[in-house]
Amino acid sequence: VMVFESIGSYTASMKINNSLLYNICWVYVESLLLVLYFYKFEKSTSAKKNILLVSFLLLLWGIVNSAFFQPISTVFQFYSFLPNSLFILVLCVRFLSNMLNLRIFKDWNLIALPHFWISTAILFFYVEAVLVFGMYQFSPQFVVENVSVIFGFNRMMAGMMYLIFGFSFFFPTMFKRDFAEGNTMAML
């Protein structure tokens, strides 16, 4: 992400259209990686099949969108980003619900569980991103007039999400006294 964001920042500063970079790296690759993350923890075989089916359909839609509606190299593909993001949000809410209803990670202290923090960060970031890029899609004038505030907030939320991704794996050691040693071994 750091390399991709650095390239994106550089190309933007040089006034080079970086839509292809963001479409491939963020709309498709990051979305697929997050779907795979939630897929990994899914217990239900039918849900796993549905995740794979929806992922395939979203990729197929991305190809159709690139070919006929929003060229992948020239514009941000909101029509692909929106369904990918909504799917990630559904998976995120399902995952959090499974954790909170003790279907997974039953013996864990949620505060010490990295996956709780990661999924919560994903939830907050993707809700914000859908709102920001939806606003840009449907009310571009408002976004252009407030670009530094809106996209500054977006960058802050993205940065917080990635920091939480990294620091969340330190939480078990910070809360070591609050859970059994077996949990530490299960995490490894």
Side-chain angles (χ1 to χ4, degrees):
V1 170
M2 185 177 78
V3 170
F4 135 65
E5 286 292 345
S6 297
I7 293 169
S9 179
Y10 174 75
T11 55
S13 71
M14 300 298 287
K15 305 225 185 306
I16 298 170
N17 185 339
N18 56 19
S19 295
L20 179 65
L21 175 73
Y22 279 92
N23 286 328
I24 290 173
C25 293
W26 189 41
V27 173
Y28 296 107
V29 174
E30 184 173 310
S31 294
L32 273 176
L33 290 173
L34 290 174
V35 168
L36 286 172
Y37 172 77
F38 291 117
Y39 178 85
K40 174 185 167 194
F41 293 106
E42 185 56 56
K43 300 284 185 195
S44 166
T45 306
S46 63
K48 281 188 168 196
K49 287 180 184 175
N50 288 336
I51 290 170
L52 291 175
L53 175 64
V54 171
S55 298
F56 174 75
L57 291 173
L58 288 173
L59 283 175
L60 191 61
W61 164 244
I63 292 168
V64 170
N65 186 33
S66 295
F68 298 108
F69 303 109
Q70 295 178 314
I72 194 167
S73 62
T74 56
V75 297
F76 176 71
Q77 291 191 319
F78 181 76
Y79 299 144
S80 293
F81 170 73
L82 181 62
N84 280 327
S85 296
L86 294 176
F87 185 49
I88 289 167
L89 287 170
V90 166
L91 292 175
C92 189
V93 168
R94 178 179 169 82
F95 183 69
L96 285 167
S97 173
N98 284 339
M99 269 195 282
L100 295 172
N101 290 317
L102 302 177
R103 290 186 199 114
I104 55 176
F105 302 112
K106 294 176 197 170
D107 301 325
W108 281 80
N109 173 353
L110 281 183
I111 303 281
L113 183 64
H115 305 294
F116 171 74
W117 292 103
I118 290 169
S119 56
T120 302
I122 291 169
L123 179 70
F124 281 110
F125 173 72
Y126 271 85
V127 165
E128 175 270 335
V130 165
L131 293 174
V132 164
F133 289 98
M135 228 184 334
Y136 185 68
Q137 184 70 29
F138 299 109
S139 182
Q141 185 62 34
F142 174 78
V143 175
V144 168
E145 290 169 2
N146 301 289
V147 71
S148 61
V149 172
I150 292 171
F151 284 105
F153 182 68
N154 177 258
R155 274 190 235 102
M156 180 192 76
M157 291 295 290
M160 284 177 40
M161 180 180 72
Y162 294 123
L163 279 173
I164 289 170
F165 282 9
F167 286 122
S168 66
F169 288 95
F170 292 106
F171 293 157
T173 57
M174 291 170 37
F175 297 101
K176 192 174 188 176
R177 68 187 188 295
D178 293 340
F179 59 96
E181 185 175 322
N183 287 339
T184 308
M185 298 311 274
M187 186 171 176
L188 299 175

